[in-house]
Amino acid sequence: MSASSPIPAIEVRGLRKSFGALDVLKGIDCQVAHGEVVCVIGPSGSGKSTLLRCVNRLDEPTGGQVFVGGVEVTDPDVDIDAVRRRIGMVFQQFNLFPHLTVTENLTLPQRRVMRRDRTRAGAVARSNLERVGLSDKADAYPSQLSGGQQQRVAIARALVMAPRVMLFDEPTSALDPELVGDVLAVMRELARDGMTMMVVTHEMSFAREVADRVIFMDDGVIVEEGDPERVIGAPRHERTRAFLTRVLS
């Protein structure tokens, strides 16, 4: 973790999100430092994915503030497109364009958003395909790939934009169990490289091994957070203990 910047990579203050009468986030306060890996765990419906989606304003917060690199994402006057260029996001589903090759899926956002020429975009695409171990799939179409390979392409697609932070929303939940390992291996490597990451996951072994900090959410609030060995290995709150008993049994 880098201590060079006093400004957090991500800072969330009093974040609230409601869908009609349903309060999904009930005043979330958290920070992610530069180079830190924070895993967010908790039962389905606890607000984990909504938290991530509010960080880059895919969901519009009902109240509170979100800052990315010191820039207030929730400011009505912010250039949200400029902020989002700093944030890579990987979803449960891969969202690749089925009619484009792997390379084309990686070059299209570079050329449209970053105005890179074809040569530069292609070089960046090749570099990041190598990074996720898929150099040999550059000319394949998504339908020719396994789910795990498609998710690794989705990670590479986020990386070509040179994000400062990466958000992962349960990136392995749609995968067959035997395909999960390759995706987690790529994420481990990103963590070793110092990428700032906020990861919503049900993979407790990954959280325990890779996270600098674990946040446990339930019913729209942060119940506890801290070192993964303590939160996962010796949780203090009964709600955390009950959740972990279910998922680890």
Side-chain angles (χ1 to χ4, degrees):
M1 184 190 313
S2 172
S4 60
S5 175
I7 299 173
I10 300 170
E11 183 175 9
V12 176
R13 301 178 186 169
L15 184 64
R16 294 181 288 108
K17 176 60 181 176
S18 300
F19 294 98
L22 179 64
D23 295 327
V24 178
L25 299 177
K26 303 174 182 178
I28 299 293
D29 294 289
C30 65
Q31 293 185 0
V32 181
H34 293 274
E36 187 177 29
V37 179
V38 173
C39 284
V40 185
I41 65 172
S44 297
S46 58
K48 308 182 302 296
S49 294
T50 301
L51 171 60
L52 281 199
R53 292 177 64 86
C54 283
V55 168
N56 65 359
R57 254 179 67 190
L58 288 176
D59 283 344
E60 197 69 36
T62 305
Q65 296 173 292
V66 176
F67 298 84
V68 175
V71 176
E72 185 182 351
V73 177
T74 42
D75 184 336
D77 297 322
V78 75
D79 183 346
I80 191 62
D81 291 330
V83 173
R84 284 179 180 149
R85 284 197 286 273
R86 305 177 178 184
I87 306 170
M89 187 153 185
V90 178
F91 300 89
Q92 297 177 32
Q93 302 299 328
F94 323 122
N95 300 323
L96 301 175
F97 291 112
H99 63 291
L100 299 180
T101 66
V102 165
T103 295
E104 289 166 343
N105 267 281
L106 269 60
T107 56
L108 180 65
Q110 298 182 67
R111 298 182 67 196
R112 285 193 175 175
V113 177
M114 304 187 79
R115 303 300 181 192
R116 288 175 177 160
D117 62 38
R118 188 183 299 272
T119 300
R120 171 64 176 153
V124 172
R126 287 192 296 275
S127 174
N128 282 284
L129 283 177
E130 182 177 357
R131 195 173 183 182
V132 300
L134 289 174
S135 296
D136 60 332
K137 301 297 184 181
D139 298 322
Y141 287 88
S143 62
Q144 298 171 308
L145 305 178
S146 70
Q149 289 170 333
Q150 291 185 60
Q151 190 62 293
R152 285 151 64 196
V153 171
I155 294 172
R157 181 183 55 188
L159 292 174
V160 298
M161 308 300 284
R164 299 181 186 180
V165 302
M166 287 282 286
L167 308 178
F168 292 88
D169 186 8
E170 300 193 28
T172 60
S173 65
L175 302 179
D176 292 334
E178 67 268 22
L179 303 177
V180 168
D182 288 341
V183 173
L184 294 181
V186 170
M187 294 171 65
R188 285 188 186 93
E189 195 61 36
L190 291 178
R192 290 190 200 103
D193 290 345
M195 176 64 75
T196 304
M197 296 163 60
M198 196 169 187
V199 184
V200 170
T201 184
H202 289 296
E203 301 288 343
M204 294 303 121
S205 60
F206 174 83
R208 199 165 192 165
E209 173 192 349
V210 178
D212 296 295
R213 195 155 40 89
V214 170
I215 291 173
F216 173 70
M217 288 182 64
D218 191 20
D219 195 27
V221 299
I222 292 176
V223 176
E224 67 177 296
E225 62 180 298
D227 175 89
E229 283 301 322
R230 188 196 64 72
V231 174
I232 298 175
R236 294 171 181 166
H237 200 288
E238 176 55 37
R239 289 159 81 183
T240 316
R241 288 195 292 270
F243 169 76
L244 290 169
T245 297
R246 289 196 303 270
V247 300
L248 295 175
S249 59

